[in-house]
Amino acid sequence: MATQHKEIDQQTLENLLYLSRLSPESTNMETLKKQVDDIIGYFDILSKYDDSENPYDAYPKTEADKLRSDEIVQGLEMTDVKKVSKDFMDGYFQVPKVLGEGV
């Protein structure tokens, strides 16, 4: 890739080395500088494209803002809950065992 774009300076390269926990002794600085310059060039290419369009327009609109109102309403009475199932005992519903071997 031709480097016709802005190149990274030495201080920024040293800061990148520090942030990535690389040491200048263990890294070929010329290769790293060329790679970072190439990455910056890719961003220059991407910045040429128009991004003014809203990316969320591709998705259907939802009614997320129209949730139910936050009002306290009367709950079920215990006698009504007991009518839901015949397997209601001591405030709990009895359900079949689903863990273990005898399923």
Side-chain angles (χ1 to χ4, degrees):
M1 172 177 225
T3 56
Q4 301 170 357
H5 51 78
K6 194 172 14 171
E7 292 186 359
I8 191 169
D9 62 345
Q10 186 62 31
Q11 182 62 39
T12 306
L13 186 60
E14 290 174 10
N15 290 342
L16 285 173
L17 285 173
Y18 173 74
L19 290 172
S20 61
R21 304 294 190 247
L22 295 173
S23 65
E25 297 82 27
S26 67
T27 306
N28 185 345
M29 296 297 283
E30 293 82 25
T31 304
L32 181 65
K33 182 173 182 347
K34 182 183 178 318
Q35 290 172 343
V36 172
D37 286 339
D38 288 344
I39 292 170
I40 292 172
Y42 294 136
F43 281 105
D44 289 342
I45 292 169
L46 289 174
S47 66
K48 293 178 185 176
Y49 292 98
D50 180 26
D51 63 346
S52 61
E53 143 181 346
N54 186 353
Y56 297 107
D57 288 343
Y59 302 103
K61 293 191 182 248
T62 61
E63 301 292 325
D65 58 339
K66 295 185 179 181
L67 299 175
R68 64 177 172 81
S69 60
D70 193 16
E71 298 174 2
I72 299 174
V73 295
Q74 182 67 32
L76 295 174
E77 294 292 328
M78 194 56 71
T79 56
D80 295 332
V81 173
K82 289 179 182 179
K83 294 177 186 175
V84 172
S85 173
K86 62 180 175 66
D87 298 323
F88 186 80
M89 181 173 31
D90 296 332
Y92 297 98
F93 288 101
Q94 183 180 3
V95 295
K97 184 177 178 180
V98 293
L99 299 176
E101 292 181 15
V103 179

